[in-house]
Amino acid sequence: MQSLTNISLKTIVKKQVKWEAKLNISALSSLVIVQIIFGVLTSSSGSASSGHGHGNLDVRFSIYSLDTFLIVSAIWAFIVALLFTTKAYRVDDLSVISSRTSSTIANIFVMIMYSFIAVIIMISTYYLQVLGILLVEKKSFVTEGLFISPSTFILCFSSICLFGALGLLFGTSFKGPVVIKIFLSTFMVFSFIYIFMTPNIIPLMMLPNLMISVLCLLVATLCFCLTIWIANKSEVSRK
Amino acid sequence: MNIIQCVELSKSFGRRQALQRVTCAIDAEKIIGIIGLNGAGKSTLLNIFAGYLKPTTGSCKVFNENPFNNIQTAANMIFIDDQLSFSEYLSLEDILKMGADFYPNWQNELAYRMLDYAGIDLTAKHQQLSKGQLATFNLVYGLVSRCALTILDEPMNGMDEVIRTDFYRAILKEYLAFPRTFLITSHHLQEMESILEEILLIDEGSVIAHAPLDEFKEQLISLSGPSDELADLLSETEVYAQKIVAGMTSAVVGASKLFVSEEILRTKGIKVSTLTASEVCMYLTNKKGRDIDAIFD
């Protein structure tokens, strides 16, 4: 009898990551476009602005920060992750050596890679915006720090990663067994309500950047593990 | 050696029972036809073999392992059907490169030659192909991957007759060059009879026959002769179809319960003839009382 092929999960995941990252590169170009659009839209007022007037004196402050870019990137990560779990992507995976587990792990790695690139895109667009305002509008700037600190970079990365992880979990849970669908959707709805409706979120936001990053990465890891577990239990539906 | 073993395998989708207590064993390096009417449970069985579906009860082993979500099963199996799809960003040439990257026994040169023969442009996208071209490309993809278990679910759907005939030969040639197990479902049993070694017949979710092709064809025979001579004989055996015209009866009966020698039958003026595998399948799965004419009456 023909000898059987022995391939490890690691080898398959590596190959899948290579091809998926290459094939879905358009997701990153869409982020560049969206970031530029938001950069242009917020170029006059920044992410926050306030004005004071007294007699003939009128002072207007505009704060230019990464906030808007981070929100856009987080939403982008959630949507891209959701897209990775759609039928079209899942069926494509079946055309090569893969299992639900290998495909999910590959998606997670691609999401992590894309989150990292998204932070670079985000920061680049931010610098471009500031440069554009400096050159075109010739406004006076008060810079807090010329370079983005590593802790801010990690915070942005972990936040985007978290939203990507939530997208993957949300998308995968709807392909899993019915019990998981009901349990996870209830859990997610209540979590969102708890996070946004209770005042406990404010002290959480006051934590140092690094602390928030660790929290985000922990929740993201939990979501990734849950996603793999659900995918492992899911059947393939191609109808 | 068995590469697939199913014991009391059942699968249900909600209230619908797709497979019922299927027990079968499939040997390595054989070309096996999985035959059955639409909705008989063929695709469900193949999906379980491929590890896409989990049995509700019973067990299924492929290469001695549970195939469900199993990377080793995936590494040694390819499932070709009309739902095979690839990223819209890949040309056919890129798809072949991707296949070569994943499958260790991949035959790129052979793929190029076969696609050239079928007149398929490698710069085209998978989504741009016509139905027949799509089926041809998918079949080529399945053949050149040279997996130990190659599952072809209706591989010839949409192909024209000439290409179909050619590609049955291609399957046979590939099998001879690199023996492996082929599981093929098709509605064109007559066409592929020549390449099949075994037939596994499924009806209403159950395996009703699994035998080498010759043995399978011998299950039923056709008898024709004077009605009065045949009447006694038909009462003793299972009759699958019967037609009486002007005192002459022709009937299809189960051969296993017919204990009369051919010589005696000949003396009574009864003619015995064999059936094709396709006809045997048709009679074995034909539901009693099923008559299209009754709808129009």
Side-chain angles (χ1 to χ4, degrees), chain B residues 47-119:
Chain B
N47 273 283
I48 290 174
F49 292 163
Y52 297 163
L53 297 177
K54 202 194 283 185
T56 310
T57 56
S59 80
C60 174
K61 298 252 172 185
V62 177
F63 306 118
N64 282 325
E65 287 186 46
N66 177 5
F68 184 71
N69 199 20
N70 186 325
I71 200 76
Q72 289 313 323
T73 306
N76 291 286
M77 179 278 311
I78 191 155
F79 188 107
I80 302 295
D81 64 355
D82 56 1
Q83 289 180 58
L84 191 76
S85 88
F86 298 93
S87 168
E88 57 187 6
Y89 300 109
L90 293 172
S91 67
L92 298 184
E93 196 161 13
D94 296 331
I95 293 172
L96 296 183
K97 274 182 200 156
M98 186 171 73
D101 192 25
F102 276 90
Y103 292 97
N105 299 324
W106 186 267
Q107 301 295 306
N108 222 26
E109 268 304 306
L110 181 66
Y112 276 91
R113 287 203 304 269
M114 285 168 99
L115 292 173
D116 183 46
Y117 177 81

Side-chain angles (χ1 to χ4, degrees), chain B residues 135-149:
Chain B
T136 309
F137 178 82
N138 290 352
L139 181 57
V140 169
Y141 188 83
L143 289 178
V144 300
S145 64
R146 287 194 170 172
C147 288
L149 174 60

Side-chain angles (χ1 to χ4, degrees), chain A residues 35-56:
Chain A
Q35 294 282 27
I36 290 171
I37 292 169
F38 271 84
V40 172
L41 287 176
T42 57
S43 60
S44 60
S45 58
S47 52
S49 63
S50 66
H52 298 284
H54 186 77
N56 289 334

